[in-house]
Amino acid sequence: MKLTHPERVVDAASGATKADVARYYDGVADWLLAELKSRPVALLRAPEGVGEGGFFQKHAGKAAWPGLRLLDAALWPGHDALLALPTRTALLGAVQMNTLEFHAWNARVPRLDKPDRMVFDLDPGDGVDWAAIRDGAVRVRDLLGELGLRSWLKTSGGRGLHVVVPLAARWPVDTVRAFSQAVVQRLAGREPERFVAKSGADNRVGRIFVDYLRNGEGATTVAAYSLRARPGLGVSMPLAWEDLAALESPTHWTVTNALQHLAGRPADPWAELGAHKQSLAAPLKALPSL
DNA sequence: GTCACTG
DNA sequence: CAGTGACAACGCGGG
DNA sequence: CCCGCG
Ligand SMILES: [Mn+2]
Ligand SMILES: [Mn+2]
């Protein structure tokens, strides 16, 4: 795979070069490709590196590189063909095109209207410290548990955390979205000093907006193992719930240290996630959402 | 990073 | 030839 | 309605 400008510094904060980014993605390719498998993707490309000027890409437009797959345009009527990255070649081609972040849908082809997971994106407002964010994620996990749903955890690579709930792909995306909104409304109803259910930076000062809008049709969330196009190049890293209390920072894992962490971890904390195709039938009864 | 288009 | 714009898109919330 | 946000 040809990589142009390997020595170009992509992120001044870490000093990481384009070659460092490529080495990172080559190292996580097996895990990341499993995350992206059969899902439409959106790429955040940044030819100028971290900072202003990056752009999202969810359709091919004029772009093309080896392995890049264009999904059948009929899968999402009214839109151009969506993109998928089925192979290492496709993934590293995206890196050559200066992709820093990989985002994915919650549904897989061909059932783009029936997501196989639900995501709760904890977005802390100004003034929320890391301990409160960790506590917030545990509250989300506990409420989901009361509703009969197991959840898995990752860092966002930024300030927050993502709680992921694997589902059987049997409920329409609007049902899943409405249910996730009801979950967040209950969280905010129970602990309004801790959570808000409305987006917008103003109300959530000192509180956490649990972003359920990631569950809408066509919405994407940054994939596990993706870098973030921010100073330091943090990683969205899966971790076990039992390891959350010991995590000292949401940006602990970065392009610089993530491969070392992955080489030394005793097990994949998400190993069981794929086998849990959870039903929403009972949770929908326990928490009616319309 | 690359292409299509402008002047 | 160099320069420049495009490369997502849509619900939400507030003004 | 438009704007800013993610
Ligand atoms: Mn977030
Ligand atoms: Mn968010």
Side-chain angles (χ1 to χ4, degrees):
Chain A
M1 175 68 48
K2 186 186 71 178
L3 190 76
T4 62
H5 306 296
E7 299 309 317
R8 179 173 292 170
V9 173
V10 162
D11 169 47
S14 61
T17 63
K18 189 174 173 185
D20 293 325
V21 170
R23 271 191 290 273
Y24 170 78
Y25 278 118
D26 189 55
V28 299
D30 287 346
W31 294 296
L32 178 55
L33 287 168
E35 281 293 305
L36 301 181
K37 185 179 174 60
S38 299
R39 301 187 191 278
V41 298
L43 310 176
L44 179 60
R45 294 174 52 194
E48 313 292 305
V50 169
E52 293 308 301
F55 57 92
F56 271 92
Q57 184 163 17
K58 68 193 321 183
H59 308 294
K62 296 152 196 159
W65 58 85
L68 177 67
R69 186 147 94 93
L70 275 62
L71 300 175
D72 184 346
L75 285 168
W76 203 26
H79 301 261
D80 285 343
L82 294 162
L83 304 177
L85 298 173
T87 62
R88 179 180 299 257
T89 298
L91 180 70
L92 295 178
V95 172
Q96 158 58 18
M97 297 298 253
N98 300 293
T99 302
L100 288 178
E101 300 190 3
F102 294 87
H103 297 240
W105 284 42
N106 289 326
R108 301 189 192 244
V109 295
R111 303 315 323 267
L112 293 186
D113 54 334
K114 303 262 179 92
D116 71 345
R117 70 183 178 199
M118 178 169 61
V119 176
F120 295 90
D121 163 24
L122 277 73
D123 286 339
D126 288 340
V128 179
D129 67 20
W130 171 233
I133 297 167
R134 284 189 311 211
D135 288 348
V138 170
R139 300 301 218 281
V140 175
R141 178 199 65 185
D142 288 348
L143 174 55
L144 291 167
E146 290 174 35
L147 296 166
L149 292 166
R150 273 188 71 175
S151 57
W152 279 259
L153 178 67
K154 67 184 177 80
T155 62
S156 72
R159 284 186 65 213
L161 292 165
H162 293 166
V163 176
V164 179
V165 182
L167 300 174
R170 292 206 300 268
W171 286 270
V173 60
D174 289 344
T175 300
V176 174
R177 197 203 92 122
F179 177 78
S180 69
Q181 182 173 14
V183 169
V184 174
Q185 286 169 337
R186 168 147 312 183
L187 285 166
R190 277 185 179 179
E191 298 193 272
E193 69 292 336
R194 184 184 291 273
F195 294 115
V196 280
K198 290 182 178 179
S199 69
D202 294 346
N203 303 327
R204 72 199 208 216
V205 172
R207 300 187 286 179
I208 298 169
F209 171 55
V210 182
D211 186 351
Y212 59 89
L213 298 166
R214 301 301 98 228
N215 298 307
E217 176 166 27
T220 60
T221 303
V222 72
Y225 303 101
S226 177
L227 299 174
R228 301 309 300 271
R230 302 178 186 188
L233 293 179
V235 171
S236 182
M237 182 67 78
L239 73 158
W241 282 108
E242 62 187 16
D243 293 332
L244 177 59
L247 185 63
E248 64 272 28
S249 160
T251 51
H252 176 70
W253 291 295
T254 71
V255 68
T256 305
N257 62 16
L259 290 181
Q260 187 173 12
H261 164 72
L262 290 164
R265 72 181 177 176
D268 178 355
W270 283 19
E272 288 185 69
L273 182 153
H276 285 259
K277 302 178 190 311
Q278 301 181 101
S279 172
L280 270 187
L284 281 165
K285 284 179 185 164
L287 186 63
S289 48
L290 186 66

